[in-house]
Amino acid sequence: MAIPHAQFAKGEAGEGIIRLDGSWDAAHGDALERLVAEMGEAAAHHDGALVVILDRLVSLDTLGAYLVFRLCSRLAEAGRSVRLEGATESQKILIEEVSFAPPPAAGDRRSLAPAYDMLSDVGEAVVDAGRDLSNGVAFFGAVVAAFGRLLTGRTRLRIASVVTQLERVGLRSVPIIMLISFLVGAIIAQQSIFQLRTFGTVQFVADLLGILVLRELAVLLTAIMIAGRSGSSFTAELGSMKMREEVDALQTMGLDPLEVLVVPRILALMIALPLLTFLAAMAGIAGGAVVAFFYGGVSSDVFFSRLQNAIGLNTFMVGMIKAPFMALVIGLIACIEGFAVRGSAESLGSHTTASVVKSIFVVIVVDGMFAMFFAAINY
Amino acid sequence: MSIFSRPAPANERPDPPPELGLPIIEIRDLTVGFGERLIMDGLELDVRRGEILGVVGASGTGKSVLLRTIIGLVHQRKGRVRVFGHDMGQLTPQRRRLIERRWGVLFQHGALFSSLTVKQNIQFPMREYLDLSESLLDEMAMVKLRLVGLKPEAAERFPSELSGGMIKRAALARALALDPEIVFLDEPTSGLDPIGAADFDELIATLQKTLGLTVFMVTHDLDSLAGICDRIAALGDGRVLHTGPLDEMKKQSHPWLQAYFNGPRARASHFYTQPAGGRTT
Ligand SMILES: Nc1ncnc2c1ncn2[C@@H]1O[C@H](COP(=O)(O)OP(=O)(O)O)[C@@H](O)[C@H]1O
Ligand SMILES: [Mg+2]
């Protein structure tokens, strides 16, 4: 491991001699680059033939060999006559092996101006959103067709697959969804009681809690949790199957990936989400009731009779009707993103993220549209 | 190239004396197991500097595990692995890192980073260890690509856009990025067509000659064994059944070696058209 050197000297016959010394290897990469630049500089100020002598080299690897080659070829390009001397046979072979002319650097696509970039980004985002929408509609159509084939008995329902998915998206999410709903119900009750105290109408916490939880909170919380929990896992599963050509393998066996992979998942989601929403609603009300009793001093008799007065079947139904629609959009987005995964691990990651973000966004949009709809029909 | 088109220089220096034959990797009494199962039990093997060693063995005998143990991805229960004369078990992490820089590994499935282009894959170790300018990094990546016989167009592609043979070549280019002294190859020609495999063998032999590499190659390819391996080590029963050049392996009486080196596949391959093992390239 000798430190590399290079020296420029004038020879007897007036030729410029560049003598290389030491280890010309990757370990001294930065020093070598500098030396080659210096030597190129020195040689440029000398007119006459040039000789590069390698006889003192301790070692030469591909990096060193390439730099020697580059030094020579740059000088030769500048119209100088260059000779290489003192190379061993293996060094010669090595230099031959690495001798290659780098193609002219393809100029990077430079941005014109930040404002231009921003405009083009916005444009791309709009086009992407449009494409997402049309893809979504097309995919939805394909899924509906697959469900249609199922209902008309032209394909069979994969019961085992549906049950497995039901266990994964339904049963396994019960504890976390009930826990979160319980806590959110408790927090809302506590905040309401705190405000209602100033009016001395603490018992109205039951009305407030019942309507809020049944109409909105239970279904929203559940849908958001499921988007994060099951939507992401659908995308990751389908995406990695896509990456490893498993989806293609299914197709070559004459199976429709939609029927085998997508329908059972979406069906399971559409069954599980209403059930989970119901459990979330019960947990949320229970959380509120506990707080009303211990913190608000509302007796359970008062709490439940107020609850009974405040809510009707319609309050309950508003929440439950929304659940399967939420399940549908979560499932569709998760599957579309999963099938959009291409090749790399990075792509899998970014599509999984996109799946969760898009589903949560769409869940909230759908909830808003339902709110307008129910307000319009006065339900 | 033009700079060579002249009479040989007078002061030709002989190649530095090759320390061929000296062991560069020494494995002694190596025992490796997973759970209850012992994969290797008292394995002994030497790899000599400058040779291409072919490692063969039935599927599941632990060829990949042996390779992974040498490079430190699998821990041994007992025994010693010495590389470049250093006992790998005794080194501090910093010293280990220095040794690791001096070898390159071609994994069975390439193990290219899927989120990086081929060029970025090759530059990855260079960026980590070498302090080179951006333009030199680019040029070196192209040099390595050329060295392994890939077209410059491949540089900007992602691994998912490459064929099996190209992945192997790109992974070899990455393994060679830091000009290693030893390269470990895990079934480099598996999954390649015979012509692609022969090309790859030739590539390895050429690189071995020009760069003075030591090659540790796990392989099932009888043609590679006949064509480019200097010595062969056969694994079985948790140890090395025999090591030696090809014609010596053929004479062994162990039933697996008999079946492997004298079976119908071996007879159909180039084994018998080439009287002795060793280089043909
Ligand atoms: N990480 C691991 N955990 C448990 N067993 C392993 C592990 N890696 C390999 N094995 C087992 O070790 C044996 C040898 O594997 P391997 O070296 O991959 O075989 P091959 O010789 O075909 O390359 C196999 O039986 C395999 O199941
Ligand atoms: Mg293996």
Side-chain angles (χ1 to χ4, degrees):
Chain A
M1 296 291 267
I3 292 167
H5 291 292
Q7 258 178 353
F8 186 83
K10 215 169 261 181
E12 286 151 21
E15 79 274 28
I17 298 177
I18 298 173
R19 185 163 238 138
L20 310 183
D21 197 345
S23 298
W24 279 56
D25 54 25
H28 303 94
D30 48 336
L32 291 182
E33 233 188 322
R34 222 172 32 246
L35 283 178
V36 166
E38 279 169 19
M39 288 301 110
E41 191 78 2
H45 293 302
H46 175 88
D47 32 50
L50 295 165
V51 189
V52 178
I53 303 183
L54 305 185
D55 60 350
R56 292 202 191 143
L57 284 190
V58 177
S59 65
L60 186 75
D61 67 4
T62 53
L63 180 79
Y66 176 71
L67 285 171
V68 170
F69 160 76
R70 195 167 76 166
L71 177 66
C72 295
S73 65
R74 292 229 170 130
L75 291 171
E77 265 167 38
R80 315 296 300 273
S81 103
V82 189
R83 280 182 300 142
L84 204 56
E85 276 186 11
T88 63
E89 267 323 302
S90 62
Q91 287 171 345
K92 278 186 189 177
I93 299 174
L94 187 56
I95 296 176
E96 284 282 10
E97 282 287 329
V98 302
S99 57
F100 109 109
D108 273 345
R109 207 161 50 94
R110 286 251 74 91
S111 56
L112 296 176
Y116 178 89
D117 267 359
M118 209 182 77
L119 270 181
S120 84
D121 281 353
V122 170
E124 269 168 33
V126 171
V127 171
D128 278 351
R131 195 178 305 130
D132 270 359
L133 192 66
S134 73
N135 280 349
V137 172
F139 192 81
F140 179 50
V143 170
V144 169
F147 269 106
R149 285 196 292 279
L150 203 66
L151 291 180
T152 53
R154 274 190 288 161
T155 56
R156 69 194 173 80
L157 177 64
R158 282 153 217 283
I159 303 274
S161 179
V162 175
V163 172
T164 315
Q165 294 298 335
L166 258 179
E167 184 196 340
R168 293 179 46 200
V169 305
L171 201 58
R172 302 240 178 113
S173 2
V174 167
I176 184 68
I177 286 179
M178 288 191 68
L179 177 66
I180 285 185
S181 306
F182 184 88
L183 293 177
V184 170
I187 292 164
I188 286 179
Q190 188 271 331
Q191 288 295 317
S192 322
I193 290 168
F194 190 72
Q195 301 298 329
L196 291 171
R197 269 203 183 130
T198 49
F199 307 104
T201 51
V202 171
Q203 67 277 21
F204 280 106
V205 68
D207 304 48
L208 208 151
L209 191 75
I211 293 171
L212 196 56
V213 167
L214 288 179
R215 287 185 78 108
E216 297 292 341
L217 267 183
V219 67
L220 263 185
L221 278 179
T222 310
I224 289 173
M225 282 299 296
I226 289 294
R229 207 179 161 277
S230 307
S232 60
S233 83
F234 285 2
T235 307
E237 283 163 19
L238 296 182
S240 55
M241 289 185 77
K242 177 93 197 221
M243 265 163 76
R244 279 178 281 155
E245 299 180 318
E246 292 172 42
V247 176
D248 300 341
L250 269 179
Q251 221 146 14
T252 55
M253 293 175 205
L255 297 171
D256 181 0
L258 274 182
E259 282 166 19
V260 180
L261 301 174
V262 175
V263 167
R265 284 182 166 78
I266 292 188
L267 198 61
L269 263 187
M270 290 177 72
I271 297 170
L273 204 66
L275 299 176
L276 289 170
T277 300
F278 176 75
L279 291 177
M282 295 306 114
I285 291 176
V290 168
V291 169
F293 184 71
F294 288 106
Y295 175 77
V298 183
S299 73
S300 58
D301 284 351
V302 175
F303 186 87
F304 284 111
S305 68
R306 286 238 46 96
L307 197 63
Q308 208 167 14
N309 275 337
I311 61 177
L313 187 63
N314 69 328
T315 326
F316 174 70
M317 287 312 292
V318 164
M320 296 304 282
I321 286 169
K322 289 192 273 193
F325 291 92
M326 305 284 196
L328 184 64
V329 295
I330 293 170
L332 285 177
I333 291 174
C335 294
I336 291 171
E337 291 294 332
F339 284 129
V341 169
R342 298 271 168 276
S344 71
E346 197 182 19
S347 156
L348 180 63
S350 68
H351 281 288
T352 308
T353 310
S355 159
V356 174
V357 173
K358 283 181 191 169
S359 337
I360 292 179
F361 171 72
V362 173
V363 157
I364 290 171
V365 170
V366 168
D367 191 58
M369 295 196 318
F370 269 111
M372 292 194 289
F373 173 71
F374 288 127
I377 64 169
N378 220 343
Y379 188 60
Chain B
M1 216 190 66
S2 61
I3 44 177
F4 288 124
S5 53
R6 47 175 296 280
N11 54 352
E12 179 80 310
R13 200 180 54 146
D15 276 42
E19 305 163 60
L20 296 173
L22 278 180
I24 196 167
I25 302 176
E26 298 159 79
I27 302 169
R28 293 287 172 272
D29 191 26
L30 186 71
T31 303
V32 179
F34 297 105
E36 299 277 283
R37 283 179 56 214
L38 275 190
I39 308 291
M40 257 155 251
D41 191 4
L43 182 141
E44 315 243 325
L45 180 67
D46 278 347
V47 183
R48 302 176 190 158
R49 175 168 241 128
E51 75 174 347
I52 300 186
L53 177 73
V55 177
V56 299
S59 267
T61 45
K63 303 179 297 293
S64 301
V65 170
L66 174 61
L67 190 156
R68 295 167 69 85
T69 311
I70 299 173
I71 60 181
L73 294 176
V74 172
H75 293 288
Q76 66 255 42
R77 298 220 172 131
K78 211 169 81 187
R80 249 182 341 147
V81 176
R82 289 171 75 85
V83 185
F84 305 118
H86 299 281
D87 189 338
M88 296 307 286
Q90 307 289 320
L91 293 177
T92 60
Q94 289 82 355
R95 300 285 306 276
R96 261 198 86 84
R97 196 103 352 109
L98 285 179
I99 303 281
E100 282 167 358
R101 257 184 75 158
R102 294 168 65 189
W103 68 50
V105 185
L106 170 58
F107 287 96
Q108 202 162 352
H109 303 288
L112 290 172
F113 302 123
S114 61
S115 53
L116 303 180
T117 62
V118 168
K119 186 173 91 180
Q120 291 166 333
N121 261 289
I122 299 173
Q123 289 173 340
F124 187 85
M126 299 191 198
R127 276 183 207 283
E128 212 54 32
Y129 286 113
L130 309 179
D131 192 10
L132 303 180
S133 71
E134 204 56 35
S135 63
L136 186 57
L137 274 175
D138 279 354
E139 287 167 36
M140 282 315 289
M142 297 319 257
V143 167
K144 304 282 172 180
L145 273 185
R146 215 187 82 117
L147 220 48
V148 298
L150 281 176
K151 298 219 171 61
E153 295 90 87
E156 299 303 331
R157 299 227 208 122
F158 286 94
S160 56
E161 301 163 349
L162 300 180
S163 70
M166 291 166 86
I167 288 182
K168 293 262 157 112
R169 281 169 193 265
L172 182 63
R174 186 180 70 180
L176 295 174
L178 295 174
D179 276 299
E181 290 161 59
I182 310 177
V183 282
F184 295 93
L185 310 172
D186 198 348
E187 305 201 13
T189 54
S190 73
L192 300 189
D193 63 283
I195 297 171
D199 271 1
F200 205 89
D201 281 346
E202 199 172 317
L203 170 67
I204 290 168
T206 316
L207 291 175
Q208 192 268 344
K209 258 184 294 184
T210 47
L211 305 177
L213 298 171
T214 305
V215 179
F216 179 103
M217 176 162 76
V218 172
T219 187
H220 276 304
D221 190 334
L222 291 161
D223 292 331
S224 309
L225 291 173
I228 64 168
C229 291
D230 297 303
R231 284 195 315 144
I232 297 170
L235 299 194
D237 312 328
R239 55 195 183 86
V240 175
L241 296 176
H242 193 77
T243 50
L246 180 62
D247 28 352
E248 207 180 297
M249 302 301 285
K250 287 185 199 161
K251 295 190 196 113
Q252 296 303 309
S253 58
H254 190 282
W256 189 81
L257 294 180
Q258 270 298 322
Y260 193 88
F261 289 103
N262 293 319
R265 299 250 316 165
R267 259 176 271 126
S269 80
H270 293 217
F271 264 36
Y272 281 75
T273 52
Q274 288 161 353
R279 292 293 143 67
T280 54
T281 43

